[in-house]
Amino acid sequence: NNGVHIDFILRESKTLDVQLEGGYGEFERIQAGLRIFDHNVFGSTKSLGLRAKVSTKSLLIEPVYDTPSFWGFRNEWVGFYENSDKEDFTLERFGFETNLHRNFKKYVGLSFGYKFENTTAKNLIEELDQLDDGYVNFSGVQSSFSYIRIDNLLTPHKGTFFKVKGEYNSKLFGSTFEFIKSEIQITQHFPISERITFSLGARLGYMKSLEAGVDIPIQVKFFNGGGNTIRGYDHNSIGPQVDGKS
């Protein structure tokens, strides 16, 4: 009797991912980062990991848990603790956020969820030392839409990066202040040659207090300046102005 014998051998690839990062920045100087993720915990398709970053100016720790949800969405839970020195104050915050997110056709992303954080602004300069000095809670819903089609996330040579996100903070969710905040970021990369890329980008942000006569705390206001945003200015030196001082 003639026959064909076929053996199928299935080997599961390693799901543990460990990344170490290091570098030097204009403001934070020496920087180091760590990412540890298991993308298939006990064969359950759930993901568990830790992100951490430390520098001479800041410390950020983020435990992450991600699990399948419905209609192709995944539910991500992120805790965070951050302590960082800003240009005019020291920021300390902790909290968590949970988001439902999904990628469509690899390039399009959609997410929506809830975020809570307890934030403290310390050592404010005198011109900004108003009601902002002390801890406050920011709590509300958030959403984002993205279209990212570039050839390399770290060193893009061609393609488009577009992202819009918004949030609504309300006392109904436990927030100390009520306000809306939205941001749009778009960058287009044009290849000039194999080693030269021309990039054109823009960022736009809008926020508004929903309480008459109540200003939005400095912890969540917009800041710019530095090598990654506007060159020629100190890091985050472009921001809220009080008597000509940021």
Side-chain angles (χ1 to χ4, degrees), residues 28-246:
E28 296 195 1
R29 308 304 181 187
I30 299 176
Q31 307 174 48
L34 170 67
R35 288 172 54 92
I36 303 177
F37 274 86
D38 188 337
H39 297 288
N40 191 19
V41 180
F42 303 122
S44 62
T45 72
K46 299 177 182 178
S47 178
L48 182 65
L50 176 70
R51 296 190 294 248
K53 179 183 176 183
V54 61
S55 72
T56 57
K57 295 285 187 176
S58 65
L59 169 67
L60 175 63
I61 301 174
E62 294 180 323
V64 181
Y65 177 69
D66 188 276
T67 182
S69 188
F70 57 89
W71 297 341
F73 282 85
R74 294 186 67 89
N75 186 200
E76 181 183 63
W77 291 79
V78 181
F80 54 85
Y81 171 80
E82 180 183 12
N83 190 301
S84 59
D85 291 332
K86 305 298 183 181
E87 192 71 22
D88 298 323
F89 61 95
T90 300
L91 174 69
E92 183 177 33
R93 69 188 188 101
F94 64 88
F96 75 95
E97 62 179 281
T98 177
N99 295 287
L100 289 170
H101 63 93
R102 181 179 177 182
N103 292 329
F104 300 85
K105 297 183 179 180
K106 295 175 61 176
Y107 309 112
V108 178
L110 176 67
S111 75
F112 52 93
Y114 168 81
K115 181 178 181 179
F116 172 86
E117 68 175 81
N118 178 283
T119 303
T120 304
K122 303 177 181 179
N123 304 320
L124 291 168
I125 62 173
E126 183 177 353
E127 289 78 7
L128 295 177
D129 191 8
Q130 304 168 5
L131 296 177
D132 304 329
D133 194 2
Y135 80 88
V136 294
N137 294 327
F138 301 115
S139 180
V141 293
Q142 57 187 7
S143 62
S144 70
F145 171 84
S146 63
Y147 176 83
I148 304 175
R149 195 166 186 174
I150 53 181
D151 55 346
N152 190 301
L153 288 175
L154 296 179
T155 56
H157 185 57
K158 63 179 179 180
T160 302
F161 178 96
F162 172 80
K163 186 172 185 179
V164 55
K165 59 182 180 179
E167 60 181 85
Y168 166 61
N169 291 265
S170 171
K171 294 182 179 180
L172 293 175
F173 301 111
S175 181
T176 307
F177 297 87
E178 294 194 350
F179 63 94
I180 56 174
K181 182 178 182 180
S182 60
E183 297 178 68
I184 298 176
Q185 180 180 357
I186 183 170
T187 305
Q188 183 68 47
H189 305 281
F190 303 93
I192 305 300
S193 67
E194 292 185 359
R195 297 186 176 182
I196 300 177
T197 303
F198 175 74
S199 298
L200 184 64
R203 297 198 305 174
L204 177 66
Y206 172 80
M207 61 193 315
K208 176 179 175 61
S209 174
L210 301 179
E211 300 175 276
V214 179
D215 192 16
I216 299 173
I218 189 174
Q219 295 99 308
V220 292
K221 289 184 176 180
F222 294 110
F223 288 87
N224 252 329
N228 294 326
T229 53
I230 303 179
R231 296 180 181 273
Y233 290 86
D234 292 333
H235 180 79
N236 281 346
S237 62
I238 305 175
Q241 298 290 314
V242 179
D243 296 332
K245 296 183 179 181
S246 64

